[in-house]
Amino acid sequence: MSAPDFSRLKAVYVNCTLKPSPTKSHTEGLMRVSSNIMKNEGVDVEFIRLVDHDVAPGVQPDMTEHGAEKDEWPALFERIFAADILVIGTPIWLGEKSSIATRLVERIYAQSGQRNDKGQYLFYGKVGGCIITGNEDGVKHCAMGLLYSLQHVGYSIPPQADCGWIGEVGPGPSYLDEESNAQENDFTNRNTTFMTYNLLHLANMLKQQGGYPAYGNSKEDWDEGSRWGFSNPEYR
């Protein structure tokens, strides 16, 4: 089977570590495994470490219009929205995604009511996934919340759209620590590879067909009176 051409795709990896640059991020270590696969396939890849930016709390597109002194989110959003694929990376703290990851989801939600040129919600046609690291339980729990949030605002989630690594429960070695031997973990490497290609395949299919057809899912058409096959059932 010949390899697909993914070279028209763009991906953005948003690392939601609590550590500002240039501090080593174990989450970014695993994110780089995925991003290297994409780069090898010709994908345009960008990294953002969210904690390096002054992103105000809130659920509006620009929080300076709602009392914040500064908000870098509008410029960051343009970079995120320009990508076909969004991969959110987060460490696990107290069994949950980081507070930075929560802020990212809240700010993405701010744009969820906007619409594309088909009258659909803005993120239709975009693809999302997540990468999680830690040395305590919670990979699946964190992925569940992140992937639900992404699909709720309109991102498409392919099969097995998450991957992660956790070491020994408690204060043990993290992903990039030599003693963890995490980079040789076959299960993590396999899941990271499968996730990456599933993101690429779905994004490629959506891009080739120009996103989702607008039949049955355009808020603009609904507001103008289209109801497609909808009808209230008669109960007797």
Side-chain angles (χ1 to χ4, degrees), residues 3-68:
D5 180 8
F6 298 120
S7 61
R8 294 174 60 229
L9 296 177
K10 179 177 175 61
V12 60
Y13 285 74
V14 182
N15 184 1
C16 295
T17 177
L18 302 181
K19 304 169 184 174
S21 298
T23 307
K24 180 172 70 175
S25 164
H26 297 283
T27 301
E28 184 164 322
L30 185 53
M31 295 175 81
R32 293 285 179 184
V33 175
S34 172
S35 70
N36 284 342
I37 294 172
M38 291 203 184
K39 287 180 180 179
N40 289 337
E41 292 289 354
V43 178
D44 182 6
V45 174
E46 180 178 6
F47 260 81
I48 297 172
R49 191 179 290 206
L50 200 66
V51 75
D52 290 341
H53 301 273
D54 193 347
V55 176
V59 289
Q60 299 298 328
D62 186 348
M63 291 306 299
T64 62
E65 298 175 358
H66 300 270

